């Protein structure tokens, strides 16, 4: 009877199967616990909005909004990483809200969040898209002043966006001055093809074909930025307009 009584117990799950079952149960429970820990850890981290949604929020501000208006609107938002602010300012530029891009940059500086060269470049590009050459030059001038105090140094992209803004505003002489400014700036890299092409197009629009060709020759002899198809198109356009 004792042996028979043990029979049913021996025909039950073996120790190996029990351990495998327990193992599977343990793994399942641990995965469940892992999933359970996810939301808890997420609540410990700030939940950031997507840069696009922040840009949409800022776009509700009226034209002429200030840095204070930007701060008041974002008072309940968790701080964004620096890289995300570059995307926000870029999104504002695509919306042609250059005024908000400038206000957002001013707010970043006022809040001490560290406006860097990418933020400035995106802001100048926003001014360029909206054909606001004066605003673009103001931002670039501000950047130059901050450079003296250890701030971000204007790079070729900042200058390129400013030159493009001057091109769109018909300010060919200012475009050439900025092109020369890149070469004299210790922190800026060599002028890019965009810098040269925008300057040549600015001269072409003003029928300054000789100056455009001089700029073309400077690009060819630079040794760092060979002319491309856009360069030749702009130079030929300058000659055509100049007769």
């Amino acid at each position: 009877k004792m042996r028979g009584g043990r029979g049913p117990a021996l025909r039950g799950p073996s120790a190996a199967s029990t351990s495998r079952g327990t193992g599977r149960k343990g793994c399942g429970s641990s995965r469940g616990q892992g999933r359970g820990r996810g939301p808890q850890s997420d609540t410990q981290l700030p939940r950031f909005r997507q840069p696009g949604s922040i840009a949409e929020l800022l776009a509700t501000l009226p034209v002429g909004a200030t840095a204070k208006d930007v701060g008041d609107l974002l008072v309940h938002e968790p701080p964004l990483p620096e890289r995300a602010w570059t995307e926000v300012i870029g999104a504002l530029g695509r919306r042609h809200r250059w005024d908000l891009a400038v206000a957002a940059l001013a707010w970043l500086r006022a809040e001490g969040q560290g406006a860097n060269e990418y933020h400035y470049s995106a802001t100048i590009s926003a001014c360029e898209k909206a054909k606001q050459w004066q605003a673009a030059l103001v931002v670039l001038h501000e950047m130059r002043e901050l450079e003296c105090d250890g701030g971000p140094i204007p790079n070729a992209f900042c200058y390129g966006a400013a030159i493009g803004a001057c091109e769109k505003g018909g300010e060919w002489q200012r475009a050439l001055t900025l092109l020369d400014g890149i070469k004299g700036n210790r922190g800026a890299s060599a002028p890019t093809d965009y810098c040269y092409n925008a300057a040549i197009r600015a001269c072409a629009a003003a029928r300054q074909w000789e100056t455009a060709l001089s700029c073309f020759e400077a690009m060819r002899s630079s040794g760092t930025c060979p002319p491309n198809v856009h360069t030749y198109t702009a130079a030929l356009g300058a000659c055509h307009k100049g007769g």
Side-chain angles (χ1 to χ4, degrees):
K1 291 182 180 179
M2 292 177 62
R3 185 177 302 173
R6 291 174 183 168
L10 292 175
R11 285 196 297 269
S14 63
S17 63
T18 303
S19 62
R20 286 196 300 269
T22 305
R24 287 194 296 271
K25 184 177 181 181
C27 292
S29 61
S30 63
R31 286 196 298 269
Q33 290 172 3
R35 288 193 296 268
R37 283 195 299 268
Q40 292 178 3
S41 60
D42 288 346
T43 57
Q44 298 172 2
L45 298 174
R47 292 181 177 273
F48 302 118
R49 280 205 195 194
Q50 291 297 321
S53 64
I54 291 292
E56 290 179 5
L57 179 64
L58 292 176
T60 61
L61 291 172
V63 175
T66 64
K68 182 179 182 303
D69 297 326
V70 172
D72 291 342
L73 189 62
L74 300 179
V75 66
H76 297 300
E77 297 290 337
L80 288 177
E82 288 185 2
R83 182 175 180 178
W85 270 110
T86 305
E87 299 180 30
V88 170
I89 296 173
L92 292 173
R94 290 188 292 274
R95 290 171 173 267
H96 295 280
R97 290 303 306 270
W98 65 273
D99 57 318
L100 289 178
V102 173
L105 179 69
W107 180 74
L108 284 174
R109 284 192 54 207
E111 291 296 309
Q113 295 196 32
N116 56 39
E117 63 270 24
Y118 301 106
H119 301 147
Y120 276 95
S121 177
T123 304
I124 298 173
S125 294
C127 296
E128 176 193 3
K129 289 181 176 66
K131 301 181 179 180
Q132 297 292 326
W133 66 270
Q134 292 172 313
L137 294 187
V138 167
V139 176
L140 181 62
H141 178 71
E142 175 187 288
M143 196 177 184
R144 284 170 168 172
E145 290 186 335
L146 292 175
E147 178 187 357
C148 300
D149 298 328
I153 300 174
N155 55 30
F157 296 102
C158 296
Y159 278 99
I163 293 172
C166 290
E167 174 212 341
K168 292 176 174 61
E171 296 290 327
W172 66 275
Q173 291 173 313
R174 295 180 188 273
L176 292 177
T177 300
L178 289 173
L179 185 61
D180 291 336
I182 306 177
K183 303 170 185 177
N185 187 288
R186 61 181 176 83
S189 56
T192 63
D193 57 347
Y194 185 84
C195 297
Y196 279 109
N197 294 344
I200 294 173
R201 286 193 300 266
C203 294
R207 299 180 183 276
Q208 300 292 324
W209 65 273
E210 292 178 320
T211 308
L213 292 184
S214 296
C215 189
F216 175 83
E217 288 299 329
M219 184 179 183
R220 278 210 313 174
S221 61
S222 66
T224 58
C225 186
N228 54 33
V229 62
H230 302 291
T231 312
Y232 283 99
T233 301
L236 289 172
C239 294
H240 176 73
K241 290 180 180 179

